[in-house]
Amino acid sequence: MVKCSIIGASGYTGAELANLVEQHPQMTLKAIYVSERSADADTELGTLHRRYLGQLNLPLTPLATADVAKAAEGVDLVFLATDHKVSVALAPGLLETGVTVMDLSGGFRFDTAAPYDQFYGFTHDSPEWLEQAVYGLAEWNAAEISHAQLVAVPGCYPTASLLALKPLQEAGLLKAETTPVINAVSGVSGAGRKASMVNSFCEVSYNPYGVLNHRHQPEIALHLGNSVIFTPHLGNFPRGIVATITAQLADGVTAAAIDQAYDHAYAGKPAVRLYNQLSPGHWPSIGGVANTPYCDIGWKADLESGHIVIGSAIDNLLKGAASQAIQCANIRFGLTNYPISKKAAL
Ligand SMILES: NC(=O)C1=CN([C@@H]2O[C@H](COP(=O)(O)OP(=O)(O)OC[C@H]3O[C@@H](n4cnc5c(N)ncnc54)[C@H](OP(=O)(O)O)[C@@H]3O)[C@@H](O)[C@H]2O)C=CC1
Ligand SMILES: CC(=O)N[C@@H](CCC(=O)OP(=O)(O)O)C(=O)O
């Protein structure tokens, strides 16, 4: 059994994680934490998130930043489901104890500190851990994840975008020096649980935001190895992301070559479901992935003009955060690939 604790367990991704760890046949949830002065301190998680009433009875323990090493006591793995800046403050104190850390924030997704000043609004003070962190895109980085001490679980939009574009990029099917265009919509849970004007029910509309300066643009570009134009939208539904991506194909690319690239990339990777195999003629949707750990991908190309449109859908809280963190933990500790299956190996 892999013994785990979760910091930030009262939040949307933290609560999903607590449920997944609790259900995992080879994990045990030892403790869950919130900040020192949290309004939810000492509340049982199932009382706060009533889907889990009577099932998740651990209390949310307040944790001071100076005492963060306590969260590593008696466990093999600590999940950080905290804001970027909080994760950057907490991770080093955990890592120094030797424990493995899966961080759901953007705090360690880049290999240099510069993007934090430009896109995150703070100066990163642990560049040594940026060098050591492994990007946890589970279907692509398993070899590195399998021996990492610090895994930076990808952002939600980057997960949907990278899983759709990497098979084409890696197979050399994208036209050189062109820029894929990613338009994506997310449910409001993507903004986290804390109240703000942005996620207030009466304020939420279907609108673009972060145009040409969202922090996921450099994350996608870095881990794809190509520039992208990324425009997120906020949708008036609770959870899920659909990314609709337009790209230009290299000269002479055939439909068979595209299918082969996706088949090759995701053979034996059951968290990615290919619509051209499983549901031809249909497109991935929020309804198809909400509350599931899957990424659904479909594509259609106009081979005459050389344009391809790819649809990619995930649940932002699961494949975009908590279930991808569990996938990384499964790879790291050699576990079954729950929640995709309790039995099959990854
Ligand atoms: N929501 C999403 O779809 C996705 C989120 N992420 C990332 O995952 C992380 C968590 O996101 P999300 O669950 O939405 O966030 P929430 O705002 O819903 O939850 C944040 C959690 O962190 C706790 N917290 C805040 N400060 C501290 C602290 N100093 N010490 C310990 N706990 C603290 C909060 O509790 P309290 O304030 O009461 O202490 C709460 O439990 C973020 O970095 C986010 O960017 C990644 C992918 C998708
Ligand atoms: C709808 C919404 O607000 N989504 C969030 C992204 C989700 C997320 O938290 O991703 P990170 O881990 O990279 O922060 C946003 O656009 O900031």
Side-chain angles (χ1 to χ4, degrees):
M1 282 290 196
V2 175
K3 297 188 254 342
C4 307
S5 66
I6 301 171
I7 304 181
S10 68
Y12 285 154
T13 63
E16 294 286 345
L17 258 177
N19 182 47
L20 291 173
V21 171
E22 189 69 13
Q23 304 295 326
H24 198 298
Q26 296 165 293
M27 288 184 180
T28 313
L29 186 56
K30 288 289 184 191
I32 55 176
Y33 299 95
V34 284
S35 62
E36 193 176 11
R37 274 178 277 280
S38 171
D40 300 314
D42 302 319
T43 306
E44 287 184 7
L45 191 56
T47 306
L48 195 64
H49 291 275
R50 268 169 257 156
R51 280 183 295 158
Y52 309 128
L53 193 63
Q55 290 166 33
L56 293 179
N57 300 328
L58 282 174
L60 290 155
T61 304
L63 182 71
T65 301
D67 296 334
V68 68
K70 279 187 187 165
E73 282 172 12
V75 302
D76 309 294
L77 170 61
V78 180
F79 293 99
L80 283 169
T82 42
D83 175 72
H84 323 291
K85 213 173 164 181
V86 174
S87 285
V88 172
L90 297 182
L94 293 168
L95 292 159
E96 280 156 20
T97 71
V99 81
T100 301
V101 174
M102 305 276 156
D103 177 29
L104 275 67
S105 86
F108 295 93
R109 294 182 197 147
F110 294 89
D111 39 21
T112 62
Y116 293 94
D117 288 307
Q118 195 183 342
F119 290 96
Y120 283 75
F122 69 91
T123 298
H124 204 292
D125 55 8
S126 293
E128 68 282 12
W129 284 111
L130 286 175
E131 280 168 27
Q132 293 188 47
V134 167
Y135 192 63
L137 192 64
E139 281 71 21
W140 287 88
N141 288 351
E144 281 186 282
I145 294 165
S146 69
H147 53 78
Q149 191 190 354
L150 171 58
V151 174
V153 181
C156 45
Y157 291 117
T159 295
S161 306
L162 288 167
L163 290 176
L165 281 167
K166 273 185 88 71
L168 302 177
Q169 172 78 13
E170 297 293 313
L173 303 185
L174 295 177
K175 195 177 187 102
E177 291 169 30
T178 61
T179 301
V181 176
I182 303 162
N183 287 304
V185 58
S186 169
V188 191
S189 59
R193 184 165 172 264
K194 62 201 167 304
S196 80
M197 192 59 91
V198 171
N199 56 14
S200 162
F201 180 77
C202 291
E203 298 293 326
V204 172
S205 181
Y206 191 120
N207 58 277
Y209 66 99
V211 177
L212 294 178
N213 66 6
H214 194 282
R215 66 189 181 285
H216 287 172
Q217 186 276 332
E219 183 181 333
I220 298 167
L222 174 67
H223 295 286
L224 179 64
N226 203 348
S227 63
V228 294
I229 294 173
F230 167 63
T231 310
H233 298 68
L234 190 64
N236 51 357
F237 51 90
R239 58 197 294 164
I241 284 179
V242 168
T244 305
I245 304 168
T246 309
Q248 215 170 336
L249 296 164
D251 292 345
V253 169
T254 61
I258 299 167
D259 267 337
Q260 199 183 357
Y262 283 108
D263 293 352
H264 175 71
Y266 298 125
K269 309 265 169 67
V272 178
R273 303 190 299 194
L274 299 176
Y275 263 45
N276 288 33
Q277 286 177 2
L278 297 170
S279 190
H282 298 103
W283 284 90
S285 65
I286 298 288
V289 295
N291 298 297
T292 83
Y294 297 109
C295 175
D296 286 355
I297 293 173
W299 64 269
K300 188 171 179 180
D302 176 349
L303 296 171
E304 249 173 61
S305 70
H307 286 100
I308 184 167
V309 177
I310 312 146
S312 178
I314 59 168
D315 185 317
N316 54 299
L317 298 177
L318 290 173
K319 183 60 178 163
S323 70
Q324 180 143 252
I326 297 284
Q327 278 185 281
C328 292
N330 291 340
I331 294 166
R332 172 64 183 75
F333 290 94
L335 311 180
T336 66
N337 72 349
Y338 181 83
I340 312 299
S341 154
K342 284 189 182 174
K343 289 187 192 137
L346 270 168

